[in-house]
Amino acid sequence: APTTSPVDPATAGTISGRVTFAGTAPKPAAIQMDADPNCVKAGGPAMDESLVVENGAVQNVFVYVKDGLGDLRFPVPSNTAMLDQRGCHYVPHVLGVQVGQTMEVVNSDQTMHNVHAVAVANREYNTGQPIVGMKSPHTFSTREVMVPFKCDVHPWMGMHVAVFNHPYFSVTGDEGTFEIKGLPPGKYVVEAWHEKFGT
């Protein structure tokens, strides 16, 4: 991979938007975590995160450039992407990384976790994290949208990682907004992915 970006920042543009839900969104179900007393959430039950809609805004939608970059190649980011296990759920619920970028999985809980990436294009992997504060680095070798993650100890735990050979992706947050910065001039196909609704 090149060490510098092929994009001239002086001519680069941004794609931004907001993902909204039409009609009344279903209420998320509460997750029963009584099986592990170390998981029980302070201040009320944990909620299912497969569909999170607040004030009409849809969270955890992964928006990315699907086509239009041609043969451009991009440097591997030097920063580490973080995936935390906190309160016996994954934070964040959806994460984007680049091929070759280090992703670090952290156990912030006083209990055993088992990180199981059910990859197809990449190598499937399965890492036990019995100790609080334990960190496991991982890198993906090829593009894959999406890689489901689960915990073999806590069956309600799940999240998704998208692996790309470019940096043009974003995940909608609390307001349902996304922003993809630094795109070279051109025409692009942009796709949005959601766990419940597909692409």
Side-chain angles (χ1 to χ4, degrees):
T3 52
T4 57
S5 172
V7 179
D8 176 4
T11 58
T14 299
I15 297 172
S16 61
R18 184 167 183 260
V19 182
T20 57
F21 191 93
T24 306
K27 292 267 180 266
I31 296 169
Q32 296 302 319
M33 300 201 284
D34 309 357
D36 186 340
N38 294 301
C39 291
V40 178
K41 190 181 171 196
M47 305 307 281
D48 178 74
E49 294 177 304
S50 58
L51 175 59
V52 182
V53 180
E54 283 182 27
N55 301 320
V58 187
Q59 300 177 20
N60 299 318
V61 178
F62 193 84
V63 185
Y64 60 97
V65 171
K66 185 178 183 179
D67 194 29
L69 290 163
D71 296 328
L72 289 180
R73 293 171 75 238
F74 298 89
V76 175
S78 55
N79 65 308
T80 299
M82 301 301 296
L83 175 57
D84 196 5
Q85 295 158 105
R86 196 162 64 238
C88 295
H89 75 276
Y90 287 111
V91 182
H93 189 68
V94 178
L95 178 66
V97 299
Q98 279 181 244
V99 171
Q101 180 179 13
T102 301
M103 180 188 77
E104 195 163 76
V105 186
V106 183
N107 181 3
S108 294
D109 289 331
Q110 296 277 356
T111 191
M112 161 97 179
H113 284 306
N114 190 84
V115 184
H116 189 172
V118 192
V120 178
N122 287 277
R123 181 173 55 84
E124 180 170 351
Y125 81 96
N126 203 329
T127 306
Q129 290 192 323
I131 303 161
V132 65
M134 194 169 172
K135 298 176 180 177
S136 304
H138 185 76
T139 56
F140 292 95
S141 58
T142 191
R143 181 185 185 279
E144 185 168 356
V145 186
M146 303 289 261
V147 180
F149 273 61
K150 62 180 184 173
C151 175
D152 292 332
V153 182
H154 306 103
W156 63 82
M157 285 178 67
M159 64 86 61
H160 288 82
V161 173
V163 187
F164 280 94
N165 49 10
H166 66 68
Y168 301 115
F169 49 79
S170 178
V171 181
T172 61
D174 295 349
E175 305 293 319
T177 56
F178 65 89
E179 188 173 57
I180 300 172
K181 294 178 176 175
L183 272 163
K187 287 186 176 179
Y188 297 100
V189 176
V190 176
E191 187 162 81
W193 175 94
H194 184 268
E195 183 175 346
K196 283 277 195 222
F197 304 123
T199 53

